[in-house]
Amino acid sequence: MNKTQKIIIYGGGATLLCLIALVIVLIVNNSARTDEVNEARAEMESLRLANDRLMLTNEFNQLNADFNQYEDQQIYLKNDSLIHQYNEARMKVEGLLAELDEQKKDNAANRKRIKELEGQIATLKGILKHYLEEIKRLGEENEGLRQEIAQVNEKNERLTSQVTQATSENRELSQTVKLAKKLNITGLSFQAYNKRGKVEKNITKAKQLGVSFIVSPNNTASAGMKDFFVRILTPEGVLLGGGEFFNLDGANVAATAKRQMEYANEELSVSVYWDVNTTLTPGDYTVEVFADGNRLASRHFTMKK
């Protein structure tokens, strides 16, 4: 092999080596750029997923805020199945968000969780929409019921007022009838008598006390036997009693003496006597007369010594 051939061979080899080296450099550079592009794409994908997660999180928080806004109106719901459905879906969303926090570097896993998250939030939206529609419907029904109840209460109040008025009128009428039937007396007198049956001016010597009066005619009053009760109270306020009792406004009241006489709706003179069995003192004596459960008269008489 001559010198020229050697130069050609060695020169060609060197050139080939240079070309191989150039190719290797180009391949390495291209691979580096590919890795950079892939890293950039992965970074952009992570940012996009993070943005999607943030948007879904905000949407989830807004749904919860809307749901909690109507918490005090849950009483309108006849059952709480919608609330259970919403809470179940909310727990799934919270679980997916927790998984996303744990898998920040795994874009493939994150994409899967994001899709699931989108689906669960869509479910939440549907439940919340149904929930709000149900509350609105039931609220309108309850408002209608409240109006009906208010009308019934108003009607009842009117009826109660009418009944009260009628009762008052009936009471007044009954009182008027009672007063019309009540016996009236005049000429009420109170006397002390001695042992000979003569009027005694000295009360301390009295052996008998007498109360006299005249019953006026009254065609409205019921005729028949009447019990006339007399109460005599001493100046000390002590009732002179003989064991007689009568009914007055539902209570048993003690009397001093009683006289039964027949009343024929005509004028009737009545005298009631009580035998003294105690020491009497001078002063003002109170005399009361009753019949048919009514007080007919009450007067004070001054008795001297």
Side-chain angles (χ1 to χ4, degrees):
M1 179 180 296
N2 56 34
K3 186 177 181 180
T4 301
Q5 290 177 330
K6 289 182 178 179
I7 292 172
I8 293 173
I9 291 172
Y10 290 135
T15 301
L16 181 59
L17 290 173
C18 288
L19 288 173
I20 292 172
L22 180 61
V23 170
I24 291 172
V25 170
L26 290 174
I27 290 173
V28 170
N29 289 338
N30 186 61
S31 176
R33 282 195 298 272
T34 300
D35 290 342
E36 291 177 357
V37 170
N38 289 337
E39 288 179 2
R41 287 177 178 174
E43 185 66 23
M44 289 181 65
E45 177 69 8
S46 296
L47 290 174
R48 186 180 69 80
L49 291 175
N51 183 66
D52 290 345
R53 181 193 182 284
L54 179 60
M55 292 180 64
L56 290 172
T57 299
N58 291 337
E59 194 170 2
F60 173 63
N61 291 335
Q62 185 59 49
L63 286 173
N64 283 330
D66 293 342
F67 181 82
N68 293 331
Q69 181 181 355
Y70 295 91
E71 186 175 5
D72 60 340
Q73 299 186 36
Q74 293 177 5
I75 56 174
Y76 293 135
L77 297 176
K78 296 179 180 178
N79 61 69
D80 54 0
S81 61
L82 285 174
I83 300 173
H84 288 319
Q85 292 177 25
Y86 185 89
N87 288 333
E88 288 178 359
R90 179 170 60 185
M91 290 177 65
K92 290 180 180 179
V93 170
E94 290 173 350
L96 290 170
L97 289 173
E99 290 183 23
L100 282 173
D101 288 337
E102 295 172 0
Q103 299 175 356
K104 291 182 179 179
K105 296 182 179 179
D106 190 345
N107 288 341
N110 284 348
R111 277 194 297 271
K112 181 179 178 181
R113 295 294 179 266
I114 289 291
K115 285 292 183 183
E116 293 178 10
L117 193 58
E118 289 174 346
Q120 288 299 325
I121 288 181
T123 300
L124 274 179
K125 286 181 179 179
I127 296 173
L128 180 60
K129 181 180 178 182
H130 187 194
Y131 170 80
L132 297 181
E133 289 174 349
E134 188 70 5
I135 284 181
K136 180 181 178 182
R137 182 182 67 81
L138 294 174
E140 290 173 350
E141 288 182 3
N142 279 279
E143 180 61 29
L145 289 174
R146 278 195 293 269
Q147 292 178 0
E148 291 180 11
I149 292 173
Q151 292 174 358
V152 170
N153 288 338
E154 183 180 354
K155 184 176 180 180
N156 286 338
E157 288 178 1
R158 288 199 302 270
L159 290 174
T160 301
S161 178
Q162 292 172 4
V163 170
T164 301
Q165 182 178 355
T167 301
S168 178
E169 291 175 354
N170 288 337
R171 189 181 298 113
E172 291 177 1
L173 181 59
S174 297
Q175 186 65 22
T176 300
V177 172
K178 183 179 179 180
L179 291 174
K181 290 182 177 182
K182 179 182 176 181
L183 297 176
N184 294 311
I185 64 174
T186 59
L188 178 63
S189 64
F190 177 57
Q191 297 287 347
Y193 300 93
N194 58 30
K195 60 183 180 180
R196 293 187 298 273
K198 302 295 183 179
V199 174
E200 177 61 60
K201 294 182 179 180
N202 187 345
I203 190 64
T204 62
K205 296 180 180 181
K207 298 300 180 180
Q208 191 178 56
L209 299 177
V211 176
S212 300
F213 52 87
I214 297 174
V215 182
S216 303
N218 186 349
N219 292 326
T220 306
S222 59
M225 299 301 294
K226 300 288 184 181
D227 289 332
F228 295 94
F229 294 91
V230 171
R231 280 169 53 91
I232 303 174
L233 285 82
T234 66
E236 295 77 24
V238 177
L239 175 69
L240 300 177
E244 295 287 348
F245 286 87
F246 64 96
N247 184 277
L248 180 66
D249 296 329
N252 285 327
V253 179
T256 300
K258 180 184 78 170
R259 176 76 181 274
Q260 188 177 71
M261 296 186 69
E262 186 173 2
Y263 178 67
N265 303 107
E266 298 175 351
E267 185 175 281
L268 177 67
S269 295
V270 180
S271 293
V272 183
Y273 298 95
W274 178 75
D275 294 332
V276 177
N277 56 17
T278 186
T279 301
L280 300 178
T281 58
D284 289 338
Y285 284 75
T286 301
V287 177
E288 299 175 319
V289 180
F290 300 84
D292 296 333
N294 295 311
R295 185 197 302 269
L296 305 184
S298 178
R299 280 187 59 187
H300 298 288
F301 295 90
T302 302
M303 307 301 287
K304 299 179 180 179
K305 183 175 179 179

